[in-house]
Amino acid sequence: MDIECSPRENKLFELIGATAHAMNVSCYLVGGFVRDKILGRPTKDADIVCTGDGIALAHAVAAALPGRPQVNFFKTFGTAQFKLNGFDVEFVGARKESYTTDSRKPQVTPGTIQDDQLRRDFTVNAMAISLNKPDYGQLIDPFGGITDLKNKILRTPLGPDITFSDDPLRMMRGIRFATQLGFTIDPDVYEAIARNNERIKIVSQERITDELNKIMAAAKPSVGLDLLFRSGLLKEFFPQAVELSGVEIIEGKGHKDNFYHTLQVVDNTAAKSEDLWLRWAALLHDIGKPATKKFEEGHGWTFHGHEVVGERMTPRIFKQLKLPQNEKMKYVAKLVALHLRPISLTKEDITDSAMRRLLFDAGEEIDDLMILCESDITSKNKAKVKRYLENFELVKQRLKEVEEKDKIRNWQPPISGDEIMVLFGLTPSREVGVLKTAVREAILDGIIPNDYNAAYQLLLTKAQELNLKPVSGE
Ligand code: CTP
């Protein structure tokens, strides 16, 4: 084998080769599996191309395997798939596409392995390994995929305009591979992306977002986000992010380019956390800035309330990008809303009460919020960054102390609404809310400690003001 496989993989590939031979067809390992094996990256699926009926081959192989895995197949696409010990194996018949001059619609007909390789997205994804008797295990690399892998470059087997018109999602895939693998996009290929960017519109948002999330999950998402921006792809599906870019200068005063600032914050966050949604919060943290931007005479640029606008924009953006409409969205919106709070506590004379309020409002999200807020400290002035980070450490320390003392993070009222109703013989009503809020505010303000007795005494006083009496006569 020209690639190194595990004994289990070798056994499976030998079986596939032998089964194909018995059916009188040729078959090959192809695509990402070959690429990743050569790169020494982990693999979780393998694509098999055969010159013939891929669905029939999949069924024959599955039938010969212990446990006979179930084959899923799609007749219209001529593809079949089964899972073997968590490993995904996909089969397809080799295809050839021909474009007639009067139509851009390809006609798909059965083809050879070379035809099939030619219509794949990138040369590094178009390498095949033969599973056939005469040349079993040999690499078939008609477009110099190996050289491109070595040089870390993404090129297309055909002219890039043709490759991208075949499937415009490949423009996103190229940028995703460049981000994930640290590869460069060949200049001609990049220009083709910039030229064809509007074509991404014909691709479903789910597929676009799938690639975007892979970019966000990479070690340095800014690489892909910047390529998406500069190639003009980003404006096609996420114009709000593009709005962040640029610098305006009035009376000699400029503001920072919020797009590139955001990319820096995303990278800083990515360096501290693998969490995709925390990274999304970083991407959206300043999304409300363009809508709130103002130049105030004698003062400079302001973005008052951008965190509130950003919080409101989040559900709309999630919907537009077909991101989940669930607690993940709420989590991102909450972090966007709170992203300025921790840094506002770096000023002197901050009371414990302010610390408690942040712990209460952030709740379970406090650690993630601190990561986001720390990542938001970006400036070209190194001394300034250092000073901010040092102050930020102090805030972290104080939050820890206040939390240890007052246990606000997972705060539950020492007397619940139900208990209040029983105590004062109330049905659900405005009064219950008033009493509950009074207890919460007094604890957060440090007027009473976070315990039952103190809360009970406070309730008695408050109840009197509302002309309420405890039913037990206490
Ligand atoms: N492919 C393609 N055009 C696409 C999608 C896929 O030409 N739009 C081809 C490529 O040869 C690719 C193979 O199909 O290598 C398998 O695709 P897929 O499993 O989606 O991607 P991988 O390259 O395996 O990479 P990853 O698993 O990281 O998505």
Side-chain angles (χ1 to χ4, degrees), residues 359-378:
L359 285 165
F360 177 76
D361 290 342
E364 274 303 291
E365 271 68 71
I366 187 71
D367 292 336
D368 289 353
L369 179 64
M370 295 305 277
I371 291 177
L372 172 62
C373 195
E374 191 167 3
S375 304
D376 197 12
I377 302 172
T378 70

Side-chain angles (χ1 to χ4, degrees), residues 119-328:
R119 58 175 293 279
R120 288 184 176 264
D121 56 0
F122 297 100
T123 60
V124 296
N125 287 343
M127 295 182 281
I129 295 276
S130 165
L131 299 181
N132 309 305
K133 274 220 167 103
D135 56 354
Y136 187 89
Q138 250 178 49
L139 180 74
I140 305 164
D141 179 21
F143 317 113
I146 276 281
T147 315
D148 289 345
L149 263 194
K150 246 184 237 147
N151 296 332
K152 298 187 164 211
I153 190 141
L154 291 159
R155 290 190 306 121
T156 50
L158 286 166
D161 288 314
I162 301 173
T163 300
F164 294 149
S165 123
D166 185 3
D167 178 1
L169 184 74
R170 290 169 168 175
M171 300 189 280
M172 293 287 300
R173 279 172 61 89
I175 290 176
R176 187 255 291 185
F177 286 124
T179 317
Q180 261 182 346
L181 305 174
F183 281 27
T184 314
I185 300 176
D186 174 87
D188 286 347
V189 174
Y190 176 80
E191 271 166 37
I193 297 179
R195 199 163 45 240
N196 292 291
N197 56 30
E198 282 181 17
R199 299 264 302 159
I200 198 70
K201 284 225 164 88
I202 66 165
V203 176
S204 77
Q205 188 55 51
E206 286 84 351
R207 294 178 79 204
I208 296 174
T209 296
D210 203 35
E211 294 298 330
L212 182 59
N213 275 340
K214 287 181 181 170
I215 290 170
M216 289 297 281
K220 230 176 145 212
S222 67
V223 173
L225 294 169
D226 190 25
L227 283 167
L228 288 175
F229 170 62
R230 285 192 288 115
S231 65
L233 276 175
L234 196 60
K235 70 171 184 334
E236 297 299 326
F237 58 88
F238 191 7
Q240 298 94 330
V242 174
E243 285 286 302
L244 287 167
S245 75
V247 178
E248 219 176 309
I249 299 173
I250 295 184
E251 292 173 8
K253 281 188 179 155
H255 57 79
K256 60 180 149 194
D257 182 314
N258 286 307
F259 182 74
Y260 285 103
H261 161 70
T262 294
L263 296 203
Q264 183 62 57
V265 179
V266 174
D267 278 358
N268 291 350
T269 304
K272 296 188 189 97
S273 168
E274 299 269 312
D275 189 323
L276 176 68
W277 304 108
L278 179 51
R279 293 172 180 205
W280 265 101
L283 184 58
L284 297 186
H285 81 287
D286 274 349
I287 204 76
K289 274 193 170 174
T292 54
K293 183 165 112 171
K294 274 202 182 71
F295 185 81
E296 288 176 10
E297 206 89 17
H299 186 70
W301 294 98
T302 63
F303 303 91
H304 292 310
H306 74 270
E307 71 283 15
V308 182
V309 172
E311 177 190 19
R312 276 196 219 124
M313 286 171 76
T314 301
R316 254 179 289 147
I317 289 172
F318 264 57
K319 196 159 176 222
Q320 165 191 328
L321 296 179
K322 298 270 183 341
L323 285 163
Q325 303 284 302
N326 58 15
E327 74 283 356
K328 301 295 180 202

